[in-house]
Amino acid sequence: MSAADVTSQVPAGRSVRVKVPATSANLGPGFDTLGLALALYDDLTVTVREEPGATVEVHGVGEGEVPTDESNLVVRSIAHTFAAVGVPLPGLDLVARNAIPHGRGLGSSGAAIVSGIVAAKGLLEGIAELDSTMLLALATELEGHPDNVAPALFGGLTIAWMSQTGPAHKKLIVHRGVSPLVFVPEHVMSTALARSLQPDSVPHEDAVFNVSRSALLVAALVQSPELLHAATEDKLHQNYRAQAMPETNRLITELRSAGFPAVVSGAGPSILVLCSDPAQRLAAAQLVADRAETPWQPLMLAVDFLGATVHRVEEDAA
Ligand code: HSE
C-alpha cells in the first residue's frame, strides 16, 4: 500500500462495478487453509454521492433480509478500507445483485467483505493504492480466517496461511479435468455453531493424517485428479460437526462409499464433490437425486480463475 493523499476525497459521481465469486473452503483436509473460487457471482455497483450516509438496494439472494443501512456488511467493509488508508468516507449508493446462497457454506460473507474492499480499491484509484497483501489483510481482519476471502479475491485454488506479518496466500491453477459439483440444501448452518463444535486439540495421528491428505490434495487438484478421493479425506473438522448437519453427513458418506470425492463445503451444510471429469459429475448428481430425503439443488460450477474484478462504470461527475 502506498501512502494516501489524505487531502483528497473521492469525487461525487465516481462509480465502480465489482464482481466476486462464490468460494468453497476447507476442501476436506485443508481446514482454514485451502479454498476454491467457483463461477457463481455477486455483482455490486457503488456510486459516490454528495450526501453523507449510505443507501443499499439488494436484488436476488438476501433481498428483504440483509440490512440496507450503514450496518450492511458491504458498507462496513468499504468504511473499514477507507479508514485503513485514512481517506474520508464519502456518501454511497449501493446496488447489489446477489447469486451466492447465504448460510450454505459457499462464502457469501467473504464475498460481501471482498465486494466492499475491492469496491473501495476502485473508488480510491489515484488517491490511495491497495496492493494484494493489503486487500487480503483487510478481508481476513473482517472475516476472521483467510480461506474464503483468498480465493474470492484472487480466484483459482488458494493456499492461505498466517505469517508473522499477517495473512499470506499462494494461488494455483486447477487441472482442467476437475469438475466441481455443489449440492445446496434449503436449510442453513451457522459457521459460529460449526466452529464451536471443534475440540481445542486433536490426536497427533489425526494431525498427521490431515497433513498428508492436504499435501496430496494440492497435487491432486493441480496435476492428478484421479487422486481426489484419497486426497479429500479429513479427520480435523467434518466428524465433529456431523451431528449438526445429519443429512449432509449421510449423503457425503453415501457419495464417498460410491467413489465420489465428496466433502462439506466450508462450514456446511452444502456438499462439494470434486469430480475428476464431467461424467463423474453427472453420476454424482444422479446419486443425490435418487437418495436425498429433502430437496438439494445441484450446481455444476466451473472453477473461477480471475477472482474479484472491479471496473469504473462512468466518468467522475466533476
Ligand atoms: N474454514 C472455515 C470453517 C470456513 O470451516 O469454519 C467457513 O467459514
Side-chain angles (χ1 to χ4, degrees):
M1 183 186 71
S2 68
D5 175 358
V6 292
T7 58
S8 298
Q9 299 209 359
V10 182
R14 183 172 287 192
S15 185
V16 292
R17 185 162 176 192
V18 174
K19 199 175 145 188
V20 180
T23 54
S24 186
N26 302 331
L27 311 181
F31 184 70
D32 275 1
T33 301
L34 298 180
L36 189 63
L38 298 169
L40 176 69
Y41 301 93
D42 281 353
D43 180 297
L44 173 74
T45 302
V46 184
T47 306
V48 175
R49 59 180 195 162
E50 300 281 0
E51 309 77 27
T55 65
V56 182
E57 199 178 300
V58 178
H59 303 276
V61 177
E63 186 172 344
E65 291 166 14
V66 300
T68 52
D69 58 15
E70 281 153 272
S71 69
N72 179 279
L73 183 54
V74 180
V75 177
R76 284 193 282 130
S77 303
I78 297 173
H80 187 69
T81 309
F82 271 76
V85 294
V87 175
L89 182 68
L92 300 169
D93 291 324
L94 277 68
V95 180
R97 291 181 181 80
N98 297 334
I100 305 173
H102 287 180
R104 307 301 206 290
L106 287 169
S108 62
S109 68
I113 289 166
V114 166
S115 297
I117 291 170
V118 171
K121 175 183 163 68
L123 293 173
L124 287 161
E125 193 183 66
I127 297 169
E129 294 301 318
L130 289 134
D131 66 15
S132 60
T133 305
M134 184 68 175
L135 296 177
L136 183 60
L138 290 168
T140 305
E141 249 167 60
L142 291 170
E143 175 79 339
H145 39 88
D147 52 337
N148 284 110
V149 293
L153 277 166
F154 308 118
L157 166 67
T158 53
I159 306 171
W161 69 97
M162 300 304 294
S163 77
Q164 283 185 336
T165 53
H169 85 286
K170 171 69 185 166
K171 172 181 174 180
L172 296 163
I173 299 301
V174 173
H175 190 285
R176 63 191 161 81
V178 174
S179 308
L181 171 60
V182 177
F183 294 103
V184 185
E186 289 184 341
H187 56 281
V188 298
M189 175 74 193
S190 139
T191 299
L193 170 63
R195 292 183 86 81
S196 74
L197 298 171
Q198 299 282 131
D200 290 336
S201 60
V202 296
H204 189 266
E205 65 190 60
D206 289 358
V208 172
F209 184 99
N210 268 60
V211 170
S212 68
R213 297 319 189 275
S214 55
L216 182 62
L217 181 53
V218 173
L221 283 169
V222 170
Q223 185 181 312
S224 310
E226 71 280 4
L227 293 171
L228 278 166
H229 192 271
T232 46
E233 292 181 300
D234 155 65
K235 291 196 178 183
L236 220 47
H237 62 103
Q238 292 175 121
N239 284 345
Y240 297 111
R241 298 169 164 186
Q243 54 173 288
M245 32 186 160
E247 197 176 10
T248 298
N249 184 46
R250 184 179 67 73
L251 286 172
I252 287 177
T253 304
E254 292 206 26
L255 282 160
R256 292 195 69 84
S257 305
F260 300 108
V263 297
V264 179
S265 182
S270 294
I271 295 170
L272 169 70
V273 193
L274 287 169
C275 299
S276 49
D277 59 62
Q280 191 187 40
R281 184 156 72 170
L282 283 174
Q286 192 58 52
L287 184 150
V288 170
D290 292 343
R291 304 205 196 158
E293 285 165 3
T294 58
W296 289 70
Q297 185 189 11
L299 299 176
M300 297 191 184
L301 300 172
V303 175
D304 167 277
F305 292 104
L306 272 184
T309 56
V310 57
H311 66 270
R312 194 76 74 79
V313 292
E314 61 191 70
E315 291 305 307
D316 296 346

